[in-house]
Amino acid sequence: IELVAQHLREQGTRRMIIANRTLSRGHALAEQFGGYAIGLHEIPAHLGEADIVIASTGSPDPLLTHATVAETLGARKRRPVLMMDIAVPRDIDPQVTELSEVYLFTIDDLHNVVESNKMSRRTAAQKAELLIDMQVEKFTEQMRGLDAVPTIRAVREYAATLKSRTLEQAQHMLDSATQPEEALKFLAETLTNRLLHAPSAYLRHAANEGRDHIIRQAYELFGLKDKDRDK
């Protein structure tokens, strides 16, 4: 009940009455949470003041009977009251639920709420695990992609070297009074041949050795479709 009082205080409860069999213990708890204490025998006199009643004692018999609560409702002018019985055995007579203004929840009801919350958390945890797995896979792919960076850089540098050498030759042809059309044709054909020479030789060698997976990877590498293999 101390945890309940702490929670109510944190949620902004303005006024709290704490009933205890030992009045001194009730006073200590009331002082801690800014309320005031009464003895258990004083409950009927103060029950009408409470909009929320939370019961948690070790009493073997109900402290709040149907008759007591019904009389209290008359003093409250039929204003509803929320009652929570978290004691075992019960502190509040279950028959008070027959009163239309009383909303009674027991430890069993709270257990159902807890189980429902657990199920929601398990569902949320499963979604979180799925999201984490997706992000881990994405991160792993990015890390694998970083492994390819040096190779990509080397290929680009190789292509740039071939381009510069071929362009220099084409420029020399123009300086030697070669027709621009011939120089452009030389540039296109020579650069293409030089870029594809090494890959073509490698693919022929792979085909001779029966390494078909290299051929398939080449189609993926150059973005070719299966129908292009027949050409």
Side-chain angles (χ1 to χ4, degrees):
I1 200 65
E2 183 175 354
L3 291 175
V4 172
Q6 178 180 342
H7 179 74
L8 291 175
R9 178 68 178 274
E10 291 173 351
Q11 296 302 311
T13 301
R14 295 188 300 272
R15 186 166 176 262
M16 197 179 304
I17 304 172
I18 297 176
N20 197 284
R21 192 179 305 278
T22 304
L23 194 56
S24 59
R25 295 178 62 184
H27 279 302
L29 196 59
E31 183 178 356
Q32 181 179 351
F33 296 105
Y36 69 93
I38 62 174
L40 295 183
H41 65 283
E42 299 178 85
I43 290 179
H46 293 273
L47 190 59
E49 304 173 35
D51 297 318
I52 301 174
V53 178
I54 302 175
S56 178
T57 75
S59 174
D61 302 311
L63 297 178
L64 296 179
T65 64
H66 180 278
T68 300
V69 176
E71 183 178 352
T72 298
L73 291 176
R76 287 176 58 83
K77 297 181 181 180
R78 319 309 293 184
R79 286 184 292 117
V81 57
L82 170 65
M83 293 187 170
M84 299 184 65
D85 190 349
I86 57 177
V88 179
R90 301 286 182 257
D91 278 340
I92 302 175
D93 185 351
Q95 293 184 350
V96 301
T97 56
E98 299 173 358
L99 303 169
S100 59
E101 293 84 3
V102 175
Y103 298 88
L104 174 64
F105 295 89
T106 67
I107 195 71
D108 293 331
D109 298 317
L110 297 180
H111 176 74
N112 293 335
V113 172
V114 170
E115 288 302 315
S116 176
N117 289 338
K118 285 183 179 180
M119 180 62 70
S120 297
R121 288 196 294 270
R122 281 194 291 268
T123 301
Q126 291 173 352
K127 293 181 179 179
E129 289 177 1
L130 179 60
L131 180 60
I132 290 173
D133 290 342
M134 293 173 58
Q135 292 301 321
V136 168
E137 179 62 25
K138 182 178 179 180
F139 176 75
T140 303
E141 290 179 358
Q142 291 175 343
M143 294 303 294
R144 285 197 294 261
L146 291 178
D147 293 338
V149 169
T151 302
I152 294 173
R153 184 183 297 114
V155 170
R156 288 185 175 276
E157 290 176 354
Y158 171 71
T161 300
L162 293 180
K163 180 192 71 173
S164 297
R165 190 173 70 182
T166 308
L167 183 61
E168 183 179 352
Q169 290 176 314
Q171 185 64 51
H172 180 72
M173 292 174 63
L174 290 174
D175 294 340
S176 301
T178 302
Q179 292 296 322
E181 291 81 2
E182 293 183 17
L184 287 174
K185 183 178 179 181
F186 168 82
L187 176 63
E189 291 181 351
T190 303
L191 184 57
T192 300
N193 291 334
R194 286 174 176 174
L195 286 172
L196 295 180
H197 173 72
S200 298
Y202 184 78
L203 288 173
R204 282 194 295 269
H205 186 65
N208 291 334
E209 294 182 346
R211 291 184 290 166
D212 294 338
H213 65 284
I214 298 295
I215 308 300
R216 291 192 296 270
Q217 289 175 350
Y219 272 82
E220 295 180 6
L221 179 63
F222 290 101
L224 302 176
K225 299 180 180 180
D226 290 339
K227 63 181 182 180
D228 295 326
R229 299 183 65 173
D230 299 329
K231 295 181 179 179

